[in-house]
Each structure stands twice: as structure tokens, then as C-alpha cells.
Amino acid sequence: MITNTWSARGHLESLGIEHSTLTHQDVVTLSYSLHGWQLLPTTPAGAPPIVARVWLFAALNARGRYQAPKRPGHPCDLEDGGPVVDSVVLMAIIQRHFLREAAAAWDDHSLAAQLGLDPADLARAQRVLDAILTLPARNPRPAPLGYHWWAR
């Protein structure tokens, strides 16, 4: 099992996962999560913007559990060249992913209206979640209701 940043970076590199811009903590979180360890994503108040793929993968591996960022409105980088978004976007799409019963108002537009967000930000974050679902997880966590169930 990996024990340090170098071996965690080596693990990500062996899988072809870009890690050069990730912090020590993000590299370890992503690597350990890929090994199947359930690490709840956490974000201290003074932390830099959350890296969405790391936070979402950790939350996905932990079956949708996470600790909300200490600072309300903590910024999140979706790494898509667009502006940072409010971290509540990540919490909303991971909760949507793990719903066990179909419920109204979970599509991007309805959810954005309820949370006071831009629906485009939810769609951008969903693309990140869709991308991380392709990572070689030891314990995959598909959506109980199926892929993009809310769009049907």
C-alpha cells in the first residue's frame, strides 16, 4: 500500500491520471480513494479552491458522504477553464447521484433555482463526475437509479 506523496504520485502516474497541479493532500486523497479507502473529503476554511475531481471521487468512494467545507461558499475548481463555482454544486450533484428513489426537481435547472445557482455550473460539475466514473476504482459506485436518471 502506498505511504507517501511520491508513491501516491507514482500510483496516479501509472494509471495515466494527471496529478502535476494537485497538492500533496489531493494526490494522497485521490490515490487512497482509488485503492478503495473511504476518505471523507474535507475542506478547511483557509484552503485553496477545492479540486472537483478529487473531492467528488473521494465522496463517490465514500458512498456520498463528505464533510461540508468549513467556509460557506468555498470556491471549487472544475478544471475546465471556466470560473470557479460554489462548492455547494459538488454537494448537490453527489447527493443527486446517490438518491435511491426518483424525486422531482433534481434536474440541473430546478436544482439550480432551488439553490440560487447557475444551471450551467451544475452541468459543468456533472461532466466532472461523469469523467471520474471512468477512473479505475476498486469499488465502483454507480448511481442507484442509473446514469443521468434525472434527465429522463
Side-chain angles (χ1 to χ4, degrees):
M1 186 56 64
I2 56 176
T3 59
N4 60 48
T5 302
W6 179 251
S7 59
R9 285 192 188 277
H11 175 231
L12 296 182
E13 191 164 318
S14 74
L15 296 172
I17 297 172
E18 171 56 40
H19 59 86
S20 63
T21 60
L22 297 179
T23 65
H24 165 81
Q25 184 63 42
D26 285 343
V27 166
V28 170
T29 297
L30 187 53
S31 180
Y32 280 23
S33 295
L34 283 162
H35 277 290
W37 293 17
Q38 293 187 14
L39 305 174
L40 296 184
T42 60
T43 310
I50 294 167
V51 177
R53 65 184 162 123
V54 174
W55 193 98
L56 284 170
F57 193 80
L60 183 69
N61 188 54
R63 296 183 175 92
R65 294 174 307 164
Y66 57 83
Q67 285 186 323
K70 298 290 183 196
R71 176 177 51 163
H74 198 102
C76 173
D77 185 358
L78 300 176
E79 298 180 294
D80 63 357
V84 296
V85 299
D86 188 315
S87 58
V88 75
V89 170
L90 302 182
M91 293 180 271
I93 66 164
I94 202 71
Q95 289 173 20
R96 174 170 74 183
H97 181 83
F98 281 104
L99 283 180
R100 296 204 176 277
E101 294 181 15
W106 281 90
D107 63 277
D108 290 347
H109 288 282
S110 299
L111 192 54
Q114 293 172 54
L115 298 172
L117 300 169
D118 182 346
D121 290 343
L122 286 164
R124 290 173 54 217
Q126 184 63 50
R127 284 191 291 275
V128 175
L129 180 58
D130 293 346
I132 65 167
L133 288 170
T134 66
L135 293 177
R138 180 158 294 181
N139 304 306
R141 308 281 189 221
L145 297 174
Y147 183 74
H148 284 222
W149 63 268
W150 59 89
R152 295 185 188 126

mmCIF file of all heavy atoms in Angstrom, residues 7 24 49 54 61 63-64 72 87 93 103 105 117 124 126 132:
data_model
loop_
_atom_site.group_PDB
_atom_site.id
_atom_site.type_symbol
_atom_site.label_atom_id
_atom_site.label_comp_id
_atom_site.label_asym_id
_atom_site.label_seq_id
_atom_site.Cartn_x
_atom_site.Cartn_y
_atom_site.Cartn_z
ATOM 1 N N SER A 7 5.038 7.915 -3.787
ATOM 2 C CA SER A 7 4.405 6.684 -4.243
ATOM 3 C C SER A 7 2.964 6.939 -4.669
ATOM 4 O O SER A 7 2.476 6.290 -5.589
ATOM 5 C CB SER A 7 4.479 5.586 -3.180
ATOM 6 O OG SER A 7 3.861 5.981 -1.988
ATOM 7 N N HIS A 24 -0.224 17.942 -2.281
ATOM 8 C CA HIS A 24 0.112 16.698 -1.587
ATOM 9 C C HIS A 24 -1.157 16.019 -1.089
ATOM 10 O O HIS A 24 -1.367 14.818 -1.315
ATOM 11 C CB HIS A 24 1.062 17.029 -0.427
ATOM 12 C CG HIS A 24 1.202 15.933 0.573
ATOM 13 N ND1 HIS A 24 2.029 14.859 0.375
ATOM 14 C CD2 HIS A 24 0.610 15.747 1.772
ATOM 15 C CE1 HIS A 24 1.943 14.054 1.425
ATOM 16 N NE2 HIS A 24 1.096 14.577 2.271
ATOM 17 N N PRO A 49 -8.997 26.751 -3.498
ATOM 18 C CA PRO A 49 -10.198 26.168 -4.102
ATOM 19 C C PRO A 49 -10.122 24.641 -4.155
ATOM 20 O O PRO A 49 -9.071 24.049 -4.378
ATOM 21 C CB PRO A 49 -10.212 26.760 -5.513
ATOM 22 C CG PRO A 49 -9.517 28.076 -5.362
ATOM 23 C CD PRO A 49 -8.424 27.808 -4.351
ATOM 24 N N VAL A 54 -11.032 15.511 -7.356
ATOM 25 C CA VAL A 54 -10.534 14.839 -6.149
ATOM 26 C C VAL A 54 -11.650 14.745 -5.114
ATOM 27 O O VAL A 54 -11.914 13.678 -4.553
ATOM 28 C CB VAL A 54 -9.311 15.586 -5.577
ATOM 29 C CG1 VAL A 54 -8.880 14.984 -4.252
ATOM 30 C CG2 VAL A 54 -8.170 15.585 -6.584
ATOM 31 N N ASN A 61 -16.437 7.498 -3.602
ATOM 32 C CA ASN A 61 -15.896 6.285 -2.992
ATOM 33 C C ASN A 61 -16.447 6.076 -1.583
ATOM 34 O O ASN A 61 -16.588 4.946 -1.135
ATOM 35 C CB ASN A 61 -14.372 6.339 -2.967
ATOM 36 C CG ASN A 61 -13.783 5.023 -2.535
ATOM 37 O OD1 ASN A 61 -14.091 3.983 -3.102
ATOM 38 N ND2 ASN A 61 -12.952 5.058 -1.517
ATOM 39 N N ARG A 63 -19.406 6.580 -0.700
ATOM 40 C CA ARG A 63 -20.853 6.370 -0.866
ATOM 41 C C ARG A 63 -21.663 7.641 -0.627
ATOM 42 O O ARG A 63 -22.744 7.593 -0.045
ATOM 43 C CB ARG A 63 -21.347 5.247 0.028
ATOM 44 C CG ARG A 63 -20.769 3.905 -0.310
ATOM 45 C CD ARG A 63 -21.363 2.822 0.588
ATOM 46 N NE ARG A 63 -20.916 1.514 0.196
ATOM 47 C CZ ARG A 63 -19.851 0.901 0.686
ATOM 48 N NH1 ARG A 63 -19.121 1.479 1.594
ATOM 49 N NH2 ARG A 63 -19.522 -0.299 0.263
ATOM 50 N N GLY A 64 -21.113 8.760 -1.064
ATOM 51 C CA GLY A 64 -21.837 10.025 -0.983
ATOM 52 C C GLY A 64 -21.652 10.797 0.309
ATOM 53 O O GLY A 64 -22.242 11.850 0.494
ATOM 54 N N PRO A 72 -18.651 28.677 4.187
ATOM 55 C CA PRO A 72 -19.757 28.661 3.228
ATOM 56 C C PRO A 72 -19.338 29.343 1.921
ATOM 57 O O PRO A 72 -18.634 30.348 1.926
ATOM 58 C CB PRO A 72 -20.857 29.462 3.931
ATOM 59 C CG PRO A 72 -20.516 29.368 5.388
ATOM 60 C CD PRO A 72 -19.006 29.318 5.439
ATOM 61 N N SER A 87 -18.898 25.556 -3.818
ATOM 62 C CA SER A 87 -18.763 24.131 -3.508
ATOM 63 C C SER A 87 -20.101 23.439 -3.287
ATOM 64 O O SER A 87 -20.173 22.210 -3.372
ATOM 65 C CB SER A 87 -17.862 23.943 -2.281
ATOM 66 O OG SER A 87 -18.393 24.646 -1.175
ATOM 67 N N ILE A 93 -24.605 17.622 -6.616
ATOM 68 C CA ILE A 93 -24.560 16.550 -7.615
ATOM 69 C C ILE A 93 -24.165 15.200 -7.012
ATOM 70 O O ILE A 93 -24.603 14.163 -7.507
ATOM 71 C CB ILE A 93 -23.679 16.905 -8.834
ATOM 72 C CG1 ILE A 93 -22.223 17.043 -8.475
ATOM 73 C CG2 ILE A 93 -24.227 18.107 -9.568
ATOM 74 C CD1 ILE A 93 -21.320 17.005 -9.681
ATOM 75 N N ALA A 103 -36.951 11.565 -7.453
ATOM 76 C CA ALA A 103 -37.646 12.685 -6.826
ATOM 77 C C ALA A 103 -37.667 13.847 -7.815
ATOM 78 O O ALA A 103 -36.727 14.023 -8.599
ATOM 79 C CB ALA A 103 -36.932 13.094 -5.537
ATOM 80 N N ALA A 105 -37.552 17.635 -9.274
ATOM 81 C CA ALA A 105 -36.730 18.845 -9.095
ATOM 82 C C ALA A 105 -35.239 18.570 -8.914
ATOM 83 O O ALA A 105 -34.532 19.361 -8.301
ATOM 84 C CB ALA A 105 -37.259 19.698 -7.948
ATOM 85 N N LEU A 117 -28.245 28.955 -7.916
ATOM 86 C CA LEU A 117 -27.028 28.735 -8.688
ATOM 87 C C LEU A 117 -27.311 28.858 -10.178
ATOM 88 O O LEU A 117 -28.463 28.881 -10.607
ATOM 89 C CB LEU A 117 -26.475 27.338 -8.409
ATOM 90 C CG LEU A 117 -26.104 27.025 -6.971
ATOM 91 C CD1 LEU A 117 -25.840 25.536 -6.808
ATOM 92 C CD2 LEU A 117 -24.892 27.834 -6.549
ATOM 93 N N ARG A 124 -21.603 21.650 -15.669
ATOM 94 C CA ARG A 124 -20.137 21.549 -15.715
ATOM 95 C C ARG A 124 -19.640 20.558 -14.668
ATOM 96 O O ARG A 124 -18.780 19.719 -14.938
ATOM 97 C CB ARG A 124 -19.501 22.927 -15.474
ATOM 98 C CG ARG A 124 -19.689 23.902 -16.605
ATOM 99 C CD ARG A 124 -19.195 25.305 -16.256
ATOM 100 N NE ARG A 124 -17.814 25.300 -15.799
ATOM 101 C CZ ARG A 124 -17.347 26.111 -14.821
ATOM 102 N NH1 ARG A 124 -18.136 26.976 -14.201
ATOM 103 N NH2 ARG A 124 -16.079 26.044 -14.480
ATOM 104 N N GLN A 126 -21.324 18.157 -13.297
ATOM 105 C CA GLN A 126 -21.764 16.808 -13.658
ATOM 106 C C GLN A 126 -20.804 16.181 -14.654
ATOM 107 O O GLN A 126 -20.522 14.980 -14.592
ATOM 108 C CB GLN A 126 -23.184 16.839 -14.227
ATOM 109 C CG GLN A 126 -23.734 15.462 -14.534
ATOM 110 C CD GLN A 126 -23.872 14.597 -13.292
ATOM 111 O OE1 GLN A 126 -24.446 15.030 -12.297
ATOM 112 N NE2 GLN A 126 -23.356 13.377 -13.338
ATOM 113 N N ILE A 132 -14.972 11.166 -13.753
ATOM 114 C CA ILE A 132 -14.323 10.369 -12.706
ATOM 115 C C ILE A 132 -14.947 8.988 -12.571
ATOM 116 O O ILE A 132 -14.312 8.078 -12.059
ATOM 117 C CB ILE A 132 -14.265 11.078 -11.337
ATOM 118 C CG1 ILE A 132 -15.652 11.297 -10.771
ATOM 119 C CG2 ILE A 132 -13.451 12.354 -11.418
ATOM 120 C CD1 ILE A 132 -15.662 11.693 -9.317
#
